[in-house]
Amino acid sequence: MTVHSQGAVTSAPQDAPPKSDGLPETPAPATGPGARPPRGGGKSLPTGWLPYLLVAPAVLALATLLLYPLIKNVILSLQDINKVEFIQRKYPFAGFDNYTELLGDPDFWTVVVRSFAFTLANVALIMLLGSLIGILLNKLGKKMRLVLSMALVMAWAMPIVASVQVFRWLFDEQFGVMNWVMRTAGFSGYEQHNWMETGLSTMVIVTILVVWGSIPFVALNMYAGLTTVGAELYEAARMDGANGWQTFWKIVFPNLKPFFLITTFLEVIWVFKAFTQVYAMNKGGPDRASEILPVFAYVEGQSQAHYGLAAAISVLTIVILVIVMSFYFRLILKQEEEQ
């Protein structure tokens, strides 16, 4: 309370702010449309620009390494460039003549059918065997799981060219292990047997190589996915009397359906463009009977010096792969909508 000179007593307002003991009061920051920005700070970028700035280096790198070569390849496919034109540095425009020649060439369609058959066989075997080994990893004890996992990682990490040389030695005509195994087992006709005598036998050997090198990726991912399935689901399936196949089909597969879709999608891409294994094994031979589309494009471009035609083959390969992958994109998007 305050006492005035006349002696009257009045009450002080209750909401008056208390005075600090000798400390200067700090003014509150100004707000409102007329407020000035704080001193010493520059203008900040709009918030909506930050994601684009963070993504810009990756987009620039992709455009430099992928988009620019793709555009140049499309331009090259519209030109009639062979060895003479390449030496003379002449690039005559041919329009869609290269594409017309390819689409009317039965050899091109033979390679297309072979590429699809090769991809289908490899992806089916990789997904089947990889899933089974992944389930085995989930059932094994800690020590055996570690041993099998290390073996899978070592096979996966082996360079492709080195693995091709190992397989060439295994199936060698004179000193190959497979000929020795077949003779030891009592089979006749395997003295210096040429396992790569035909295109079909060569593709079978390449298939074994590709499947061997791709199984670890599927198996380890399958095991990682199985660790996310709760033990109570298996217990409930056993109480209901479900066997192993029913448990997998009713419990495991629905929970790991996104894994199967993504992994199959990646395997189709990797197998469809398996250039190194096919070319290093037998250079697409014998008589170009084991060529798939990437090898077909390389042989036409480098060996036959048909650069415009080879570029057209690569463009058509990309178009075919995009069309095939569009079905998997639809399945993945549908799966996301259901979740």
Side-chain angles (χ1 to χ4, degrees):
M1 291 190 300
T2 306
V3 180
H4 293 279
S5 58
Q6 290 84 358
V9 179
T10 58
S11 299
Q14 298 297 323
D15 56 349
K19 294 182 179 180
S20 58
D21 298 335
L23 296 176
E25 297 183 359
T26 303
T31 58
R36 295 181 180 180
R39 295 180 180 179
K43 293 183 179 180
S44 60
L45 292 172
T47 307
W49 288 17
L50 182 59
Y52 299 100
L53 291 177
L54 295 176
V55 175
V59 173
L60 182 61
L62 288 175
T64 304
L65 299 176
L66 297 178
L67 184 60
Y68 176 74
L70 179 60
I71 295 174
K72 292 292 290 184
N73 191 62
V74 173
I75 296 174
L76 180 61
S77 68
L78 301 175
Q79 297 172 336
D80 185 16
I81 303 178
N82 297 309
K83 184 180 294 184
V84 176
E85 289 80 6
F86 182 77
I87 295 175
Q88 296 178 350
R89 295 182 179 273
K90 294 181 179 179
Y91 311 109
F93 182 75
F96 293 97
D97 292 346
N98 291 324
Y99 294 96
T100 305
E101 180 180 350
L102 281 175
L103 297 177
D105 186 3
D107 292 337
F108 171 75
W109 292 110
T110 301
V111 175
V112 170
V113 173
R114 186 186 299 127
S115 300
F116 275 102
F118 175 75
T119 302
L120 180 62
N122 277 272
V123 173
L125 290 172
I126 290 168
M127 293 303 299
L128 176 62
L129 298 177
S131 299
L132 291 176
I133 295 177
I135 295 173
L136 178 62
L137 282 171
N138 193 45
K139 298 293 185 180
L140 290 175
K142 184 179 295 185
K143 292 183 179 180
M144 289 304 300
R145 183 187 302 128
L146 178 61
V147 172
L148 182 56
S149 298
M150 291 178 61
L152 290 172
V153 170
M154 291 175 64
W156 191 19
M158 189 172 184
I160 296 177
V161 176
S163 62
V164 170
Q165 293 302 317
V166 171
F167 270 73
R168 286 179 60 87
W169 172 71
L170 290 174
F171 292 92
D172 184 71
E173 182 176 351
Q174 186 173 0
F175 303 105
V177 175
M178 288 305 301
N179 283 336
W180 174 81
V181 170
M182 298 301 288
R183 291 195 303 268
T184 305
F187 293 95
S188 60
Y190 286 92
E191 292 79 9
Q192 297 187 356
H193 175 70
N194 185 7
W195 290 90
M196 300 182 190
E197 186 177 5
T198 64
L200 179 60
S201 60
T202 303
M203 294 303 292
V204 170
I205 297 173
V206 175
T207 298
I208 297 173
L209 170 62
V210 173
V211 171
W212 172 81
S214 301
I215 280 178
F217 174 77
V218 178
L220 294 174
N221 279 322
M222 181 69 178
Y223 168 67
L226 288 172
T227 58
T228 64
V229 181
E232 65 276 3
L233 296 178
Y234 294 104
E235 185 65 26
R238 282 193 294 267
M239 293 179 63
D240 291 338
N243 55 29
W245 169 252
Q246 291 172 337
T247 302
F248 175 81
W249 189 249
K250 299 295 184 180
I251 302 298
V252 176
F253 184 77
N255 285 277
L256 298 183
K257 190 175 180 180
F259 154 78
F260 284 104
L261 290 176
I262 294 296
T263 307
T264 304
F265 170 77
L266 294 175
E267 290 297 335
V268 169
I269 295 177
W270 289 337
V271 174
F272 197 81
K273 62 182 187 64
F275 168 82
T276 308
Q277 294 90 332
V278 178
Y279 187 80
M281 185 65 70
N282 203 19
K283 296 183 178 180
D287 298 327
R288 307 186 65 175
S290 63
E291 289 181 350
I292 59 176
L293 282 171
V295 179
F296 184 54
Y298 179 82
V299 172
E300 286 292 331
Q302 296 299 320
S303 300
Q304 306 296 325
H306 299 155
Y307 303 108
L309 193 64
I313 296 171
S314 62
V315 172
L316 289 177
T317 302
I318 295 173
V319 172
I320 293 172
L321 190 58
V322 169
I323 293 174
V324 173
M325 288 297 97
S326 63
F327 295 101
Y328 282 98
F329 280 125
R330 291 177 60 186
L331 288 175
I332 292 173
L333 293 175
K334 185 179 180 180
Q335 180 70 21
E336 292 180 354
E337 290 176 357
E338 291 177 355
Q339 292 179 351

